[in-house]
Amino acid sequence: MIILFMCISTFGLNAQSKIIAHRGYWKCEGSAQNSIASLKKAAEAKVYGSEFDVQLTKDKVVVVNHDDNIDGIKISEVNYSELSNIKLKNGECLPTIDDYIEAAKVYPDIRLILEIKPHLTIEEENYIAENIVDKVKKNNIEHRVEYISFSMNICEQLVKLSPTSSISYLNGDVSPTDLFKKGINGIDYNVKVISNNPEWIKEAHSLGMKVNVWTVNKIEQIQEMLDLNVDFITTDYPELALKMAKK
Ligand code: MG
């Protein structure tokens, strides 16, 4: 009985870190960063989540892309019609958030780790946050979406718009306690920040907050984060990380 109790408590203390594919699972045949294929491949790899980034066009269409420009065109300066024929590296058209949400319905088990990129003005940031939360609610996928952003303003807007959602701040410069006071319930920090401030993991957990770490690509870093019991490891090598997490 005592041994059983010890096993349960040990298991409880070492809950397995979950793996998130960074910009989807794109380092494989037929995929590309932030493509629909990268979401499909992440789902097929059976990881916890697929991360992706969103940007706003001049006519306020939300597109899925990491950088604020694509093929030398600044996304915020053109209407969507000027981007709709742009192809990703795997031949797919640049997806809109609507395309992405529609595709995600085919893979109901994977979480959507939605990064709203900082925008030039507060108005744009508030608009994109509102627009996305509205789409997420209308498509009944609130239980699958976890929000992340480098913009404190966007995180604060998300707290107002969707307070029960998972919302994590990315910029690495604020303690869990200070984020908690704002209603933000997670940290999603660079692996070097977490490595240098491992006490933030305990601090976050004691407040009921989650700890995600990016972009954890080296084997020794993945192992270090697993040993630190972070909740989520965001990586460009999701299959490798998943194998290591299961060990
Ligand atoms: Mg991202």
Side-chain angles (χ1 to χ4, degrees), residues 22-23 34 51-54 65-66 113-117 148 150 170 188 214-215 234:
H22 179 236
R23 304 180 196 169
N34 281 315
E51 189 260 356
F52 64 105
D53 311 279
V54 293
N65 198 59
H66 178 267
I113 316 303
L114 200 167
E115 179 179 351
I116 305 181
K117 285 292 181 191
I148 58 176
F150 279 96
L170 288 162
D188 186 353
W214 56 272
T215 304
T234 300

Side-chain angles (χ1 to χ4, degrees), residues 17-19 22 189-196 198 201 211-237 240-242 244-245:
S17 304
K18 295 180 172 75
I19 307 303
H22 179 236
Y189 285 174
N190 183 284
V191 61
K192 284 181 195 149
V193 173
I194 294 297
S195 202
N196 292 334
I201 300 169
V211 178
N212 191 346
V213 190
W214 56 272
T215 304
V216 193
N217 284 344
K218 291 184 184 150
I219 287 179
E220 56 273 22
Q221 288 177 325
I222 295 171
Q223 194 55 55
E224 184 190 353
M225 292 303 119
L226 288 170
D227 292 342
L228 284 170
N229 289 324
V230 300
D231 299 285
F232 309 106
I233 291 174
T234 300
T235 177
D236 291 324
Y237 298 93
L240 167 70
L242 197 59
M244 290 176 65

